Amino acid sequence: MDMNAVLQIVTRSDPGMVRSNNEDAVMANPQRGFAVLADGMGGYNAGEVASGMATALLGTELEKAFVAREPSSEDASGQSWARVTLRAEMARVNGAIYQAAQSQPQYAGMGTTLVVGVFHDNKVTVAHIGDSRLYRLRGEDFQQVTRDHSLLQEQIDSGLITPEQARHSQNKNLVTRAVGIDPEVEAEIHDHEVLPGDVYLFCSDGLNDMVEDEEIAMTLGALSANLELCAMQLIQMANDNGGRDNVSVILVKVKGEYPAARGWWARLMAWFK
């Protein structure tokens, strides 16, 4: 299914006000209905290399996989092709970045976060590693869809600190999971129901560290009719508040339903479940 008709997608990335280079990378494939955001880390330009590798490799491999098979089709274990592909390809990207970091001294220690969304069958399959986020605006309701793989989130979960204390912590960038740092890493993958009118925001921490969630929600609510303007405004707000990091956003607006095409046998099986 060509998702262009039901999804509007805008991507923006900016170095911010302090850093000279941009270690974030973004890509979207509106036709196949997926988006990828990566926030690289590492000395010199190594973070740039890691995030660039991650988005380029995933962009290519997901496209190939979803041309070959519908993301909603299931394998023998009942898992969707979207889930199977995301798990396999994110593991492969991790291996590629890890090998590059091991074999080339200038890339030693490089890594990246990843957040990926695949829109199919009136849902979105979300895979993430690290602290880049996905948010959703549905009507008046604004929610963070992903949970950070970070030291701060672990401290919040264990009751050591409150979310308010976390906002002012110095330990913002300590991730507990990243792509390319270890030989293996597991992506966290979940499916979420999608409704027409939903607006999804993928972002690097350069946005949510600089701009409060309430302000992000108000901006999305006010400007979601013009996604280009909305993306520019979110980046401007981060920069106005100091822009201490690179800031990247992907906005996805859902314009209609997109159920998977199913044959009579699949419909019959679904009816009996």
Side-chain angles (χ1 to χ4, degrees):
M1 180 179 183
D2 185 346
M3 298 293 286
N4 258 318
V6 288
L7 298 180
Q8 183 189 357
I9 306 181
V10 167
T11 63
R12 282 280 177 280
S13 190
D14 189 87
M17 303 303 288
V18 175
R19 302 190 174 190
S20 57
N21 63 328
N22 190 350
E23 297 192 324
D24 289 358
V26 292
M27 73 80 54
N29 186 323
Q31 188 178 4
R32 296 289 157 202
F34 66 84
V36 183
L37 184 145
D39 180 353
M41 59 196 84
Y44 306 107
N45 70 339
E48 222 168 295
V49 172
S51 63
M53 281 178 70
T55 50
L57 287 169
L58 276 175
T60 302
E61 295 307 319
L62 294 182
E63 159 114 47
K64 274 199 280 196
F66 299 147
V67 166
R69 279 182 69 175
E70 282 287 322
S72 302
S73 63
E74 294 183 350
D75 71 358
S77 69
Q79 292 257 313
S80 73
W81 184 235
R83 273 179 172 255
V84 171
T85 304
L86 283 170
R87 184 168 285 112
E89 293 306 333
M90 287 173 83
R92 184 155 34 159
V93 164
N94 181 77
I97 294 172
Y98 180 78
Q99 286 303 325
Q102 295 297 304
S103 61
Q104 300 177 60
Q106 73 270 33
Y107 298 151
M110 75 173 174
T112 185
T113 68
L114 265 179
V115 57
V116 188
V118 180
F119 292 82
H120 64 104
D121 198 20
N122 290 330
K123 57 179 174 269
V124 59
T125 300
V126 182
H128 83 290
I129 296 169
D131 62 356
S132 291
R133 293 181 178 178
L134 176 64
Y135 292 93
R136 181 191 70 210
L137 180 68
R138 175 174 290 167
E140 302 284 304
D141 182 44
F142 182 70
Q143 286 195 1
Q144 184 180 331
V145 175
T146 53
R147 279 176 69 260
D148 296 348
H149 300 137
S150 68
L151 183 63
L152 275 185
Q153 187 62 56
E154 288 188 357
Q155 291 174 331
I156 293 168
D157 291 347
S158 60
L160 287 172
I161 61 171
T162 66
E164 182 52 35
Q165 288 169 321
R167 280 214 63 80
H168 305 290
S169 169
Q170 298 304 304
N171 299 332
K172 280 197 190 312
N173 305 110
L174 297 175
V175 295
T176 53
R177 224 185 278 192
V179 179
I181 302 297
D182 296 308
E184 293 180 6
V185 69
E186 190 172 349
E188 184 175 343
I189 305 178
H190 298 286
D191 292 314
H192 302 275
E193 176 203 22
V194 170
L195 294 178
D198 284 356
V199 179
Y200 292 85
L201 165 66
F202 301 74
C203 67
S204 60
D205 63 352
L207 178 68
N208 52 268
D209 280 354
M210 292 285 110
V211 184
E212 300 275 354
D213 281 9
E214 295 77 19
E215 291 179 76
I216 295 173
M218 282 172 59
T219 305
L220 284 181
L223 296 177
S224 61
N226 186 336
L227 286 196
E228 295 273 359
L229 182 61
C230 189
M232 285 166 52
Q233 179 62 22
L234 288 169
I235 286 172
Q236 188 63 51
M237 288 160 69
N239 286 338
D240 286 348
N241 288 348
R244 289 193 296 273
D245 199 354
N246 310 143
V247 54
S248 297
V249 302
I250 302 175
L251 290 170
V252 181
K253 185 192 248 178
V254 182
K255 297 186 284 184
E257 294 196 351
Y258 49 95
R262 291 184 171 87
W264 66 270
W265 178 251
R267 285 199 296 272
L268 190 65
M269 288 295 99
W271 191 79
F272 277 110
K273 275 186 178 178

